[in-house]
Amino acid sequence: MTAHDKFSLEEKLRSVIETVDVANALIEPLTRSIENLLYISAGQMNSEEASVLIRDGSHGDLRFISAIGKVAHQLIDITVPAGKGVAGFVFSSGQPMVIADAGEEDSFYAEVDKQTGYSTQTLLATPLRHKGEVIGVLEYVNRIGDPPYESFTADEMDEAAVFAEAISSLVNAYESAKLFHDFTDQMLTADETTDFADVRKWLDELRSTSEHKEILDLAILVRELASRGEEERKMCRKVLESILEFADGKANTNYLSY
Amino acid sequence: MTEVSAYESNEYSSITTYFQIDESWKLRTGKGVEVAIIDSGIDADHPALLGKVKESVVARRQEKKVVFEPSDDGDSAGHGTACASIISRIAPDAEFYSIKVLGSGGSGDGQAFLAGLEYAIKKRYRIINLSLGTTRPQLFAPLHDLLDRAYQAGCIVVAAANNLPHPSFPSVFSSSLISVSKDDSTDPFDFGFRYGEVIELTAPGVNIKTAWLNKSYKQLTGNSFACPHIVGIIALLLETYPGLTPFHVKSALYAIAEENQKAKVKDAADQSDDNNETS
């Protein structure tokens, strides 16, 4: 590797790592936002449990990434094998559906219920899409109150499709952020003896530089401001754009004077 | 007697009667009509479907191609079995051909979906039940092409709409197939036709009792379950009038739905007269 190659590699990695840390800083509020939307929509749908499953790998498996309700914490990270259960079907077919009396005969839900101690009785599942691609499934399970539960209605299916639209964009952002997150993890946990060792050391050094910390702090600050409200977002944007304009102007002046 | 006339009629067009259908089709059973179901497979051992599934194939990836092999895998999700049972309730003697494209290969594999449709067209099954859809823009053109081929081959493709904010293919290709969305009606013969809408037909699709996995039954809601109701109706029509083309079938459905609508208006008027007399 020539010195020039190393330099350009370092430059590239530096920019990737900066993005990675920003992504890490973003991932937590994203899952919180998904959960919040689940709470709001489940209330609207008069549903006891709601969850989001996303694709896991490229073979059609699904994994719960967010859930609310009695057994929410037990669901997280359960994997649904490709095509199994209503969720698996909805994911692979892209067709939403309601099942009034899910349960024992469906081996997948029987298995999940066995693991969680929950009893799935009525279920609505609708696909999450991004740019025409199915990226996951949104599910609502059972009703608020005591069984027997009334089935979800056709109107609620339409309503769920609207919630799915909102949740899809968050899930897509989550997936992108997670991708970066996993990439760093892989880099940092690589075996000492592998070729990654150098990169790992370099990453540690990079993370400890004040410049990198400043960039990360700035990203967190912007995120914090953006979460306060629309007015704050607008103001923040204006301020940042003004700074950019100022910087551009300064650069142009330098260029002209040169 | 229902007259099947010009599909599009308004005050400026002359109405031509193409053919007439009598009510006898409603008494048929779909005997000998071949129905392909492109879905998650069919459980041929389900009591509701015993002896009705004539052939089952499954999509397998072979390098870059998708090939179809005979299969006794049954149904991986329950959905294909559900669709078959709805058709069978209306047309108990229809013959089912299961083309399994879902369940093993995962999502996003539009290739299996396309290959399944192509397989059914090559086999020239008279009716193809497609309770599936895709919103992937890259599948628009190849699906459109296949649908045209189906139309030319005389295969009647019936597709479920999705009820999502995005249009799904192929249900929006209204010229070459029959697209269906659900309503909360219960009588499969009392279906509706919405001329001028992208999704033209409406059929029962709310809380439909269907066969399901492990020889059970479920109550399901979705456009997926409206689609097989229309497939069942078409099977009865094709048994009665085997020579119908896809165009004829669509015109017949339109004419029957018009009659259904007229009967509803008449019933409502009679009801109103009765109420007036009573008061």
Side-chain angles (χ1 to χ4, degrees):
Chain A
M1 187 183 277
T2 65
H4 178 263
D5 286 342
K6 196 176 175 191
F7 175 73
S8 62
L9 178 68
E10 276 194 17
E11 280 297 295
K12 279 179 193 161
L13 278 173
R14 180 188 292 271
S15 101
V16 168
I17 296 313
E18 280 162 4
T19 322
V20 169
D21 282 338
V22 173
N24 283 347
L26 285 168
I27 205 166
E28 203 198 316
L30 274 173
T31 47
R32 247 197 339 255
S33 305
I34 293 172
E35 210 175 285
N36 284 341
L37 257 174
L38 282 182
Y39 273 112
I40 295 165
S41 61
Q44 197 80 13
M45 304 276 294
N46 187 28
S47 170
E48 192 176 54
E49 303 269 332
S51 51
V52 170
L53 299 99
I54 61 163
R55 56 191 163 188
D56 192 21
S58 57
H59 299 289
D61 295 347
L62 292 170
R63 183 170 54 85
F64 287 91
I65 57 152
S66 185
I68 60 155
K70 286 177 194 159
V71 293
H73 61 286
Q74 287 168 270
L75 288 176
I76 300 301
D77 290 334
I78 285 185
T79 303
V80 182
K84 287 283 174 195
V86 174
F89 173 78
V90 168
F91 179 67
S92 58
S93 71
Q95 286 291 107
M97 68 182 275
V98 163
I99 185 159
D101 41 7
E104 286 176 9
E105 299 87 356
D106 188 323
S107 54
F108 167 67
Y109 285 99
E111 189 51 42
V112 171
D113 284 357
K114 208 166 113 190
Q115 282 182 41
T116 60
Y118 191 71
S119 171
T120 301
Q121 293 183 22
T122 182
L123 173 91
L124 185 159
T126 197
L128 296 168
R129 292 173 196 271
H130 180 72
K131 292 187 176 165
E133 201 85 40
V134 182
I135 58 171
V137 176
L138 169 64
E139 281 191 342
Y140 296 96
V141 179
N142 294 352
R143 298 294 200 170
I144 296 165
D146 297 322
Y149 302 117
E150 264 183 36
S151 174
F152 289 98
T153 64
D155 285 346
E156 284 171 329
M157 272 183 106
D158 295 342
E159 234 174 279
V162 177
F163 287 125
E165 185 89 339
I167 289 176
S168 294
S169 37
L170 288 174
V171 167
N172 181 56
Y174 170 88
E175 277 197 320
S176 311
K178 183 86 172 42
L179 201 69
F180 285 127
H181 178 267
D182 291 350
F183 169 76
T184 1
D185 261 12
Q186 197 190 342
M187 289 285 209
L188 294 174
T189 55
D191 194 300
E192 293 268 1
T193 57
T194 66
D195 289 344
F196 283 127
D198 279 351
V199 178
R200 204 158 53 90
K201 191 169 168 242
W202 176 81
L203 280 174
D204 288 342
E205 282 169 11
L206 175 66
R207 279 163 187 278
S208 64
T209 62
S210 59
E211 185 197 353
H212 181 73
K213 276 185 181 150
E214 278 166 17
I215 290 170
L216 192 56
D217 284 348
L218 187 63
I220 292 167
L221 195 66
V222 172
R223 188 197 79 206
E224 192 60 40
L225 263 169
S227 66
R228 301 245 167 128
E230 206 181 329
E231 282 303 310
E232 285 81 356
R233 271 198 299 280
K234 278 184 189 163
M235 206 189 304
C236 178
R237 196 190 174 104
K238 268 188 188 165
V239 170
L240 290 175
E241 279 172 354
S242 310
I243 295 171
L244 269 178
E245 268 172 34
F246 172 75
D248 284 349
K250 212 170 138 189
N252 287 340
T253 315
N254 286 346
Y255 176 73
L256 286 173
S257 64
Y258 178 78
Chain B
M1 182 76 75
T2 302
E3 287 189 346
V4 180
S5 16
Y7 173 61
E8 184 180 9
S9 63
N10 57 44
E11 58 183 305
Y12 303 108
S13 68
S14 60
I15 297 176
T16 314
T17 300
Y18 293 136
F19 55 92
Q20 291 186 322
I21 46 177
D22 59 45
E23 299 285 296
S24 68
W25 69 270
K26 290 185 179 173
L27 304 172
R28 302 291 180 133
T29 58
K31 195 171 175 55
V33 179
E34 296 179 333
V35 179
I37 298 182
I38 302 176
D39 213 288
S40 57
I42 301 177
D43 177 5
D45 295 329
H46 195 287
L49 298 167
L50 281 177
K52 297 179 182 184
V53 183
K54 301 298 172 194
E55 192 182 277
S56 295
V57 293
V58 63
R60 296 248 187 263
R61 190 172 280 279
Q62 206 172 70
E63 291 173 3
K64 286 185 176 173
K65 282 196 309 191
V66 175
V67 294
F68 288 89
E69 296 169 354
S71 152
D72 53 7
D73 289 358
D75 189 345
S76 50
H79 192 268
T81 303
C83 291
S85 71
I86 294 169
I87 300 167
S88 182
R89 211 158 44 229
I90 301 165
D93 290 327
E95 295 177 357
F96 294 116
Y97 294 82
S98 169
I99 302 170
K100 183 172 178 172
V101 297
L102 297 177
S104 48
S107 169
D109 192 1
Q111 206 187 348
F113 176 33
L114 291 178
L117 184 56
E118 188 175 21
Y119 178 86
I121 297 165
K122 277 188 181 159
K123 290 270 187 180
R124 289 187 177 251
Y125 293 126
R126 285 309 313 275
I127 316 175
I128 301 172
N129 184 99
L130 260 185
S131 286
L132 317 170
T134 178
T135 48
R136 294 175 71 193
Q138 58 271 46
L139 295 187
F140 185 100
L143 261 174
H144 204 283
D145 178 48
L146 275 175
L147 264 294
D148 280 349
R149 278 170 57 189
Y151 186 83
Q152 286 146 13
C155 304
I156 299 151
V157 181
V158 189
N162 68 14
N163 62 338
L164 305 169
H166 314 280
S168 75
F169 322 126
S171 65
V172 295
F173 303 155
S174 45
S175 57
S176 52
L177 57 55
I178 289 161
S179 52
V180 191
S181 67
K182 66 180 184 310
D183 63 21
D184 57 4
S185 62
T186 50
D187 179 1
F189 292 95
D190 190 22
F191 59 88
F193 199 111
R194 307 179 299 183
Y195 181 72
E197 300 278 326
V198 175
I199 308 299
E200 293 169 310
L201 278 139
T202 57
V206 177
N207 278 331
I208 307 297
K209 191 184 174 196
T210 71
W212 196 249
L213 295 174
N214 300 326
K215 301 182 174 52
S216 68
Y217 290 87
K218 296 280 170 202
Q219 280 205 321
L220 306 170
T221 298
N223 290 329
S224 303
F225 313 111
C227 175
H229 279 95
I230 295 296
V231 168
I233 295 287
I234 297 172
L236 303 187
L237 284 168
L238 284 182
E239 186 199 344
T240 323
Y241 305 102
L244 296 184
T245 65
F247 176 77
H248 285 138
V249 168
K250 207 170 189 181
S251 300
L253 291 172
Y254 180 53
I256 296 164
E258 286 256 277
E259 295 288 327
N260 288 343
Q261 186 57 30
K262 275 184 209 160
K264 269 185 209 155
V265 172
K266 188 173 176 300
D267 283 353
D270 290 349
Q271 186 73 34
S272 157
D273 287 348
D274 286 352
N275 289 345
N276 288 341
E277 275 171 29
T278 319
S279 60

